[in-house]
Amino acid sequence: NHGTLPLTRQVQNVAWRFYRSHQFPTEKAAFFDHYVSFVRYLCIVWERYSNVIAIELFNEPPLGGVPDVAAILHSRTDLFNFYAAVLQELEHAEVPTKAPVAIEDLGGTSLQPVVQAISAAVGLDDLSSPAIETLSRWAQKDQLIISFHWYPSRSTESSLEDHIRGAVLLASELGRPPIWLSEYWQDTGEDTANYMSLASEFGCGAVTYWHYANTEFTQTSGWVRYPPR
């Protein structure tokens, strides 16, 4: 079950270690360096495809460290420190990275402005100054995008506006990069088109809905295609 998996002990342990892997030599060698090498490869591939928006570093990143309360409260800080560490590695590459990079907040959602304000006021889950500095530097180069998903319990214009406000608020902390509604879903083509238009009008620089798969081509229920045996 997708809703249960992110809270399993295995996922929580891996997420907690992964977000902090750039800080420790053994973890860096085991996890982080390989991940950065793959991101570099994707950035090179990006240059060949004009229809690809960006390289997104993480899809719907989970909390890390459950049930450790201290680790949970630091998950967002760890996540954005991780993003900053990846971008610093890309800056040090021999071949400059031209691709824009997209990042998501925890869970791929956008935190409501009031939640972000309360968190900042009490000093919980705050973004670190070094992370803000690095991410803002990429925003100034037009190589950073804030990505978020919108899967409300009930689809309304006000719900969409609230999510966009949260993304805009996060972007305002990071040099005001563009925001990208990278996933949403509606049952009909008319509603899909309507909310795509609204998201654009409300300030999204890019909008993509959750995604079509040619199942006749893949011969599976999704994007995966297996070679013939």
Side-chain angles (χ1 to χ4, degrees), residues 120-135:
V122 300
L124 298 178
D125 256 355
D126 211 1
L127 276 58
S128 70
S129 296
I132 291 173
E133 180 180 345
T134 298
L135 294 166

Side-chain angles (χ1 to χ4, degrees), residues 206-225:
V207 186
T208 48
Y209 55 85
W210 174 251
H211 301 291
Y212 168 81
N214 184 340
T215 53
E216 291 186 9
F217 172 76
T218 63
Q219 294 295 304
T220 67
S221 60
W223 291 355
V224 178
R225 177 180 169 90

Side-chain angles (χ1 to χ4, degrees), residues 18-47:
F18 194 54
Y19 298 161
R20 297 153 52 89
S21 60
H22 59 97
Q23 302 177 43
F24 308 102
T26 54
E27 301 284 87
K28 187 173 185 294
F31 299 108
F32 185 75
D33 290 345
H34 298 288
Y35 175 81
V36 170
S37 295
F38 183 59
V39 171
R40 284 199 186 105
Y41 167 74
L42 292 178
C43 289
I44 293 170
V45 172
W46 172 88
E47 297 181 20

Side-chain angles (χ1 to χ4, degrees), residues 17-228:
R17 291 179 64 187
F18 194 54
Y19 298 161
R20 297 153 52 89
S21 60
H22 59 97
Q23 302 177 43
F24 308 102
T26 54
E27 301 284 87
K28 187 173 185 294
F31 299 108
F32 185 75
D33 290 345
H34 298 288
Y35 175 81
V36 170
S37 295
F38 183 59
V39 171
R40 284 199 186 105
Y41 167 74
L42 292 178
C43 289
I44 293 170
V45 172
W46 172 88
E47 297 181 20
R48 304 202 300 265
Y49 296 94
S50 60
N51 61 326
V52 178
I53 292 173
I55 304 304
E56 190 163 45
L57 295 185
F58 215 129
N59 179 63
E60 298 185 355
L63 289 167
V66 173
D68 184 336
V69 175
I72 295 168
L73 294 179
H74 212 263
S75 285
R76 193 167 183 244
T77 308
D78 287 340
L79 174 64
F80 281 84
N81 285 345
F82 172 83
Y83 287 151
V86 172
L87 297 186
Q88 288 168 8
E89 290 289 329
L90 294 179
E91 288 176 333
H92 298 150
E94 293 182 11
V95 179
T97 299
K98 299 177 182 178
V101 172
I103 59 173
E104 294 183 11
D105 212 328
L106 286 171
T109 188
S110 68
L111 299 182
Q112 300 282 348
V114 65
V115 175
Q116 292 193 45
I118 292 172
S119 297
V122 300
L124 298 178
D125 256 355
D126 211 1
L127 276 58
S128 70
S129 296
I132 291 173
E133 180 180 345
T134 298
L135 294 166
S136 297
R137 187 165 63 247
W138 277 66
Q140 298 309 312
K141 298 190 297 182
D142 296 325
Q143 285 185 266
L144 184 71
I145 299 173
I146 302 299
S147 168
F148 69 102
H149 300 169
W150 178 56
Y151 291 117
S153 57
R154 181 169 173 267
S155 297
T156 62
E157 287 189 29
S158 61
S159 169
L160 178 59
E161 279 194 285
D162 283 343
H163 274 68
I164 290 173
R165 286 194 198 101
V168 168
L169 182 59
L170 175 59
S172 71
E173 295 185 60
L174 303 175
R176 301 189 182 281
I179 62 172
W180 170 24
L181 174 55
S182 52
E183 280 188 31
Y184 74 103
W185 170 257
Q186 296 296 310
D187 290 329
T188 68
E190 182 180 359
D191 286 340
T192 299
N194 179 50
Y195 282 109
M196 177 177 284
S197 175
L198 286 172
S200 179
E201 292 174 5
F202 292 158
C204 291
V207 186
T208 48
Y209 55 85
W210 174 251
H211 301 291
Y212 168 81
N214 184 340
T215 53
E216 291 186 9
F217 172 76
T218 63
Q219 294 295 304
T220 67
S221 60
W223 291 355
V224 178
R225 177 180 169 90
Y226 295 103

